[in-house]
Amino acid sequence: MFSQLPTPILDPILSLSVAYRSDPRSEKVDLGIGVYKNSAGETPVMKAISQAQDIVVATQKTKSYVGLAGCEEFNQSMVNLLLDGTSAMDRVAGIQTPGASGALRMLGDLMKVAQPNTTIWISNPSYVNHRPVMEAAGLKVKHYHYFSPETKQVDVARMLDDLSTAGPDDVVLLHGCCHNPTGADIDFDAWKVITQLAQKNGFTPFVDIAYQGFGDGLEQDAQGLRYMADNVEEMLITTSCSKNFGLYRERTGAAIVVGKSQHDVNNAKGKLMTLARATYTMPPDHGAALVKTILQNQELTAVWKQELSEMQQRLLNLRKILCNELRNNYNTSQFDFIESHKGMFTVLGFSQDQMARLREEYGIYGVGDGRINVAGLTERDIPYVAQAIVNVA
Ligand code: LMR
């Protein structure tokens, strides 16, 4: 049976971590996978998470099963975090999932059952796992223009042009904030225009929001999503606690549907639970138990918000220091765009070969598509990384 299998293609992001770890050089920098690091180069357990963990350990009485939808208080907390104050709160339902990739797959499977002819449109470029997950769910995938390699910003005109051809059998996948991999986000006006297009042409928006709080702040990062949820009949949402709660390995996310009525979304939720049963039965509990504990406790919520805001400020600062280094020491404004990007990532505009040179000559590991994880930098690394960037450019 197995001899028929082809040699596996390595995941372009996860394989980098393995290669980085086995690189014997002492001067090396991991800017591959999207993980936040502090100034000491560590990815610490957040304080709010540690405190919640103490509470969970002290109060949890059983490890018995939770249920197909996971923890319902967690699900409600995620809905509140994303959609609070919108009219969608009366016609929404969600399930807890193993990370946002699990949520993407569950919603992919749901679309395949609810509307088998669905074509899903994803940005070009997009998160490397978007296409594989949607294809694994049996959906057709199309790309819409998104990033301009010249300006390093979103090419909104071409994006809207492409989306104006999407119709009722189509689902348009948007990044809620902090676009992965480019770091270039659409502005609120573009959210409004896409919402109008969805209303007029009948496509369904799907918002993947994995970095809420890392761009302009928790509320601001959900502004486009909330506007859309207020104004369209149906919508799909995936979210993750990997980054903003630092729960990477706990695989904590949610798949959320907004529908025409509570009756409709209850049916969608029921179907999602059946799909989960046939895939993994129920999600792992620990991460969701911690998030629920934080979001149901005002003091812990305040601790978490403060930490998240410090992480966001640190990212802005790292972008600024890197740009200053490039401007002041190498007299180049070629990389000024890095400061205008949001969240963890920036696309440098380098080819696969240039990214390979960064890796081979300097031990700097970014993704082959030109993405670097700014959140993986430390202040100490910046002069070295800036010099390597200039040498390779
Ligand atoms: C990333 O894009 O680096 C992260 O979202 C990790 C992943 O799952 O690929």
Side-chain angles (χ1 to χ4, degrees), residues 11 13-14 32-35 101 127-129 180 211 243 251 345 371:
D11 182 89
I13 294 178
L14 297 171
I33 194 159
V35 169
S101 286
Y127 169 45
V128 294
N129 213 17
N180 180 3
Y211 301 88
K243 324 286 173 172
R251 310 311 302 139
F345 308 120
R371 185 187 93 172

Side-chain angles (χ1 to χ4, degrees), residues 70-83:
C71 170
E72 292 292 9
E73 291 140 301
F74 165 83
N75 294 335
Q76 189 57 49
S77 299
M78 287 293 103
V79 166
N80 294 346
L81 209 53
L82 293 166
L83 297 173

Side-chain angles (χ1 to χ4, degrees), residues 340-355:
S340 68
H341 287 166
K342 300 277 167 65
M344 286 187 158
F345 308 120
T346 277
V347 159
L348 289 174
F350 282 0
S351 63
Q352 293 268 354
D353 283 351
Q354 286 171 304
M355 295 309 285

